[in-house]
Amino acid sequence: MSDVSVLVAGASIAGPALAHWLRRRGAEVTVVERAPELRPGGQAVDARGVTKEVIRRMGLEPAVRAACTETAGACIVDAHGNVLETFRADADGGDGYISEIEILRGDLARVLYDDTRDQVEYRFGDRIAELAQDADGVDVTFAAGDRRRFDLVIGADGLHSALRALVFGPHEQFIHHLGHVLAFYSVPNAFGLDRWLVEYQEPGRSALLRPIRDATRAMAMFSFASADFDVDYRDVPAQKRLLRERTAGLGWLTRDILGYLDESPDFYLDQVAQVRMDHWWRGRVGLVGDAAYSSSPLSGQGTGLALVGAYLLAGELAATGWNPEAGFARYEARMRSFVEANQEIGRLNARSRDVPGPQAEPVPDFTGQWFTELVGRALNGVDLPEYAGVPDAGAPAAAAPES
C-alpha cells in the first residue's frame, strides 16, 4: 500500500467517487465538506454510455439501480396537459432523453458516501481556509483551526469551487453563463404523476414535474432565460423572488407548483453555466467534476463527467507513481475531448431554449448526422484503461453484485 495522503474538497458526487478510487489505489484519503451533512434530494442525474461501466467497476451497480427514480419516460405537454411528444427511458439503449439509470443527486451521493465512509475520513462542517504548496507537499489550514500536510489536494467542490478560486483565481475567469437559470425543489405529488416526467415549454422558459421513488412526492423544476443573472447563489429568499418574477404568467400547472415553494425543504436555484479552464491542475493541486469542467445540467452528462473523471484521475496518479505533474497531465489528456463534446451539447441545448428573436442564434438542427456523431463522442468518447499492474484493493464486499 502507498503512504500517499490526499485531501479531497467536496462530498457530493465527484468527491466520494474519487475517494473510492484513490482508496482502492492505495492512498489515505480525507474528504472535507463545508455542509454539516450530506444534502438530500436535488435534481435527477443520469448515467449514460461509458459512465455505466465505471459504476460497474466500482461494484455499485446494484446499489445505484436500487435507488433509481424508475422513471418510465417523459412527455411534453401543452398548456392544457395534452401530450405533444413522448420519450421512453428504454429507447436508445437506455441512453436517451431519459436515462435508464436516473437517480436523485442526493441519493447517488448517499450511495457513494456509504460505500466509502469506513475507509475514508470525512470532515463535515469544515473547509480549507488556507493552502500553501511546495515541491514535496501541501500544507492545509482548516477553518476549524488545525493544520495538516498532504501529498495532493483535489477540488471536487462544484461549479462555485472555493478551492479553485483559492489556487487558480476568481470565478469570473472560468465560469461561463449560458443565458439560462434552473430552479428545482420537491413538492407533494398532488399532480397524479405515475412514473412519467411531464414538461411544459414556452419560448425561453419551462416548467417540469418529475416522479421520484417516494410516490407521495415529486420534483419540480423551472428554467428561464436570463442574460443578467446576478443573484447570490446563497441568498435563497432573493432566488425565490427571482423565480416568481421570471415565471409570472407561465401556463400549465405553474401557479399550483409555485404554491409549494416556501414550504419546500430543498430549494435550489443557479445559473446554467460551464467551467472552462486551460488546465485542471497546478502543482500538487488538481480539480475534478464540475469544479474543473462543468458542462451544465443542459448537457445531461455532469454526473458522467464526474464519475469518469474520478476513475481516470485516481488511475493516472497511481499509474505514474503518484507523480502529480505526470498523473495530472495524463488525466487531462484522456478527459479533454470527452469534456469538450459534452460541453458542446450543453451549449447547443441552451441555444435551443433561447427566446426567439432577430438577435438570437439559429436553433440547432438536432436531426443531422453531425449531432449523432457528437452524441456518440459525448457518451462513449473516452477510453477506460484497466490499469493492470496498478494496485487495486477491490470493491468493498458489501457493494459487490449479488451472485
Side-chain angles (χ1 to χ4, degrees):
M1 296 289 284
S2 167
D3 58 359
V4 171
S5 60
V6 184
L7 174 64
V8 179
S12 181
I13 291 174
L18 180 62
H20 168 103
W21 288 111
L22 288 170
R23 184 60 183 156
R24 282 177 59 171
R25 301 307 182 195
E28 294 294 326
V29 186
T30 300
V31 178
V32 61
E33 167 57 49
R34 177 190 297 263
E37 58 187 3
L38 292 179
R39 290 185 294 117
Q43 65 180 323
V45 298
D46 304 277
R48 300 181 175 90
V50 71
T51 306
K52 292 186 284 190
E53 173 61 15
V54 171
I55 293 172
R56 187 191 68 79
R57 293 186 188 184
M58 295 177 84
L60 295 179
E61 184 176 3
V64 169
R65 288 188 178 274
C68 280
T69 63
E70 298 184 341
T71 302
C75 57
I76 309 299
V77 300
D78 64 17
H80 303 290
N82 300 311
V83 176
L84 304 176
E85 193 172 8
T86 60
F87 306 88
R88 295 192 59 86
D90 56 8
D92 302 310
D95 287 338
Y97 179 78
I98 297 293
S99 169
E100 65 166 332
I101 298 182
E102 181 190 71
I103 181 172
L104 294 186
R105 183 210 56 77
D107 291 343
L108 180 56
R110 171 59 64 179
V111 169
L112 295 169
Y113 171 71
D114 287 346
D115 166 65
T116 55
R117 62 182 177 180
D118 292 336
Q119 298 86 30
V120 170
E121 176 192 0
Y122 279 87
R123 296 177 59 125
F124 286 99
D126 203 356
R127 60 182 175 81
I128 299 172
E130 296 179 11
L131 176 151
Q133 59 175 315
D134 54 42
D136 300 316
V138 187
D139 292 313
V140 174
T141 302
F142 293 97
D146 54 324
R147 296 187 62 191
R148 289 172 60 181
R149 186 169 175 84
F150 298 89
D151 294 294
L152 300 166
V153 176
I154 312 294
D157 48 345
L159 178 68
H160 303 284
S161 170
L163 181 63
R164 186 186 63 227
L166 191 63
V167 176
F168 296 85
H171 296 305
E172 293 76 14
Q173 294 184 31
F174 310 113
I175 295 180
H176 298 263
H177 183 26
L178 298 187
H180 294 265
V181 170
L182 290 179
F184 47 88
Y185 55 97
S186 62
V187 298
N189 185 9
F191 307 96
L193 290 189
D194 183 17
R195 299 189 63 212
W196 279 81
L197 176 154
V198 184
E199 182 173 8
Y200 170 70
Q201 301 175 346
E202 290 183 4
R205 55 187 188 170
S206 68
L208 177 154
L209 286 168
R210 67 160 64 248
I212 58 178
R213 287 190 66 83
D214 179 358
T216 68
R217 305 285 294 175
M219 190 64 64
M221 187 170 80
F222 291 96
S223 71
F224 55 86
S226 178
D228 56 349
F229 182 81
D230 61 357
V231 177
D232 184 343
Y233 75 98
R234 296 187 186 278
D235 187 346
V236 173
Q239 293 170 9
K240 291 181 177 181
R241 288 194 298 271
L242 178 67
L243 176 60
R244 287 191 168 98
E245 291 170 3
R246 298 301 177 89
T247 56
L250 184 62
W252 188 50
L253 299 172
T254 295
R255 180 176 296 181
D256 294 335
I257 299 170
L258 288 173
Y260 296 105
L261 178 60
D262 287 332
E263 65 186 61
S264 178
D266 51 11
F267 174 81
Y268 179 88
L269 178 147
D270 205 350
Q271 62 184 317
V272 175
Q274 295 183 339
V275 172
R276 303 175 206 154
M277 305 181 70
D278 292 336
H279 294 288
W280 306 326
W281 57 281
R282 181 168 292 174
R284 290 179 169 271
V285 179
L287 301 171
V288 69
D290 282 355
Y293 36 74
S294 169
S295 56
S296 87
L298 294 183
S299 75
Q301 278 285 93
T303 296
L305 292 179
L307 294 179
V308 172
Y311 176 82
L312 292 175
L313 176 53
E316 295 300 333
L317 285 170
T320 56
W322 303 98
N323 180 301
E325 183 174 0
F328 284 139
R330 284 172 45 165
Y331 149 70
E332 187 171 312
R334 288 191 181 278
M335 279 290 289
R336 179 67 70 172
S337 63
F338 185 52
V339 166
E340 290 174 348
N342 282 287
Q343 289 190 331
E344 179 64 12
I345 286 180
R347 289 191 290 271
L348 291 170
N349 198 353
R351 272 177 51 192
S352 74
R353 292 168 175 261
D354 287 343
V355 179
Q359 304 301 318
E361 293 189 62
V363 175
D365 177 13
F366 294 117
T367 63
Q369 180 63 27
W370 68 273
F371 186 69
T372 301
E373 294 173 354
L374 176 63
V375 170
R377 294 198 303 274
L379 296 182
N380 296 297
V382 62
D383 292 327
L384 299 178
E386 293 284 351
Y387 293 114
V390 174
D392 187 351
E402 296 179 359
S403 59

